[in-house]
């Protein structure tokens, strides 16, 4: 089993739709969680950190479920510009490593 | 605009060449990283520097040699690379290696080995 897993998609959604991605992690000692977006042939850009109580940034909401060992990203009112690959990243202090998920590809259609 | 600057943006080299990739950040971050990314795959960690000392080497072949001359600079020296080393090489930095510290990425060097 991979340490961090994501559904690769693609998720094809119409503009204005709400879409959610999950990311599961295997190491229960993992402590920090992040969502990045990566456009084709570009670098990953930090979208948001994920806090224990959940957090929101505009149309984006991130949540952490420690009991089931997954994080989620909800995008409301999808825009064409949201089309990208969304990568979850998990940090575990025992290994001092940031582990990337395989990414979920989102296409928002006009 | 990214606050982590990488040069060059593109590099084409033969298998016998020696070249270097450079990365610079002025955010006062004390952790810097090299990643390799192939198409449609997530970034793979190569090296981690913490307070200018190499703390993680992910069993990277010796034809890749990292160097951290000071807290703002990170180099990756390349020698005798193979065609399968063609990839996007990403540099990242974070305040420190630690809980709650996100990484910030440069826009990468796209490397092609002939």
């Amino acid at each position: 089993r991979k340490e961090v897993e994501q559904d690769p998609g693609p998720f094809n959604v119409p503009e204005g739709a709400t879409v959610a991605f999950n990311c599961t992690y295997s190491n229960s000692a993992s402590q920090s969680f992040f969502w990045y977006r990566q456009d084709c042939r570009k670098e990953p850009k930090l979208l948001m950190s994920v806090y224990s109580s959940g957090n929101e940034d505009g149309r984006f909401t991130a949540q952490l479920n420690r009991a089931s060992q997954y994080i989620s990203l909800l995008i409301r009112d999808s825009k064409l510009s949201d089309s990208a690959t969304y990568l979850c990243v998990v940090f575990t202090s025992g290994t001092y490593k940031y582990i990337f998920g395989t990414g979920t590809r989102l296409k928002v259609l006009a | 605009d990214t606050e982590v600057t990488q040069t060059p943006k593109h590099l084409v080299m033969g298998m016998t060449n020696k070249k270097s990739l450079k990365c610079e950040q002025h955010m006062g971050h004390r952790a810097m990283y090299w990643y390799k990314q192939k198409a449609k795959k997530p970034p793979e960690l190569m090296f981690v520097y913490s307070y200018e000392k190499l703390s993680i080497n992910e069993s990277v072949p010796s034809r890749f040699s990292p160097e951290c001359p000071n807290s703002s600079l990170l180099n990756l020296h390349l020698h005798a690379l193979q065609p399968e080393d063609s990839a996007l090489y990403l540099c990242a930095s974070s305040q420190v290696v630690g809980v709650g510290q996100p990484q910030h990425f440069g826009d990468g060097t796209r490397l092609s080995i002939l």
Side-chain angles (χ1 to χ4, degrees), chain A residues 46-62:
Chain A
L46 179 67
L47 187 61
M48 55 201 307
S49 301
V50 186
Y51 302 120
S52 298
S53 55
N55 46 300
E56 189 174 305
D57 183 1
R59 297 182 293 109
F60 299 85
T61 300

Side-chain angles (χ1 to χ4, degrees), chain A residues 5-109:
Chain A
E5 293 196 78
Q6 295 182 251
D7 181 340
F11 284 57
N12 295 323
V13 303
E15 268 188 293
T18 295
V19 62
F21 313 131
N22 280 347
C23 168
T24 58
Y25 60 95
S26 60
N27 190 335
S28 60
S30 298
Q31 295 168 288
S32 299
F33 309 89
F34 310 94
W35 283 105
Y36 286 76
R37 70 168 280 166
Q38 186 171 28
D39 294 286
C40 189
R41 299 177 70 82
K42 299 282 191 180
E43 78 277 19
K45 289 188 189 292
L46 179 67
L47 187 61
M48 55 201 307
S49 301
V50 186
Y51 302 120
S52 298
S53 55
N55 46 300
E56 189 174 305
D57 183 1
R59 297 182 293 109
F60 299 85
T61 300
Q63 295 204 310
L64 167 63
N65 185 318
R66 284 195 186 275
S68 301
Q69 294 184 204
Y70 74 86
I71 63 172
S72 63
L73 178 68
L74 181 80
I75 305 176
R76 288 181 298 278
D77 188 23
S78 299
K79 312 288 184 196
L80 293 175
S81 57
D82 294 333
S83 297
T85 296
Y86 290 82
L87 296 157
C88 67
V89 178
V90 175
F91 175 82
T92 305
S93 60
T95 61
Y96 280 90
K97 290 183 186 177
Y98 296 81
I99 307 296
F100 280 77
T102 48
T104 296
R105 194 166 167 216
L106 171 67
K107 284 186 178 180
V108 180
L109 307 171

Side-chain angles (χ1 to χ4, degrees), chain B residues 21 24 26 35 49-50 57 63 71 77 79 93 105 114:
Chain B
L21 309 186
E24 190 168 1
H26 293 290
Y35 285 86
Y49 273 83
S50 179
N57 175 341
R63 57 186 186 269
S71 60
H77 302 298
H79 174 53
S93 70
F105 285 83
L114 300 178

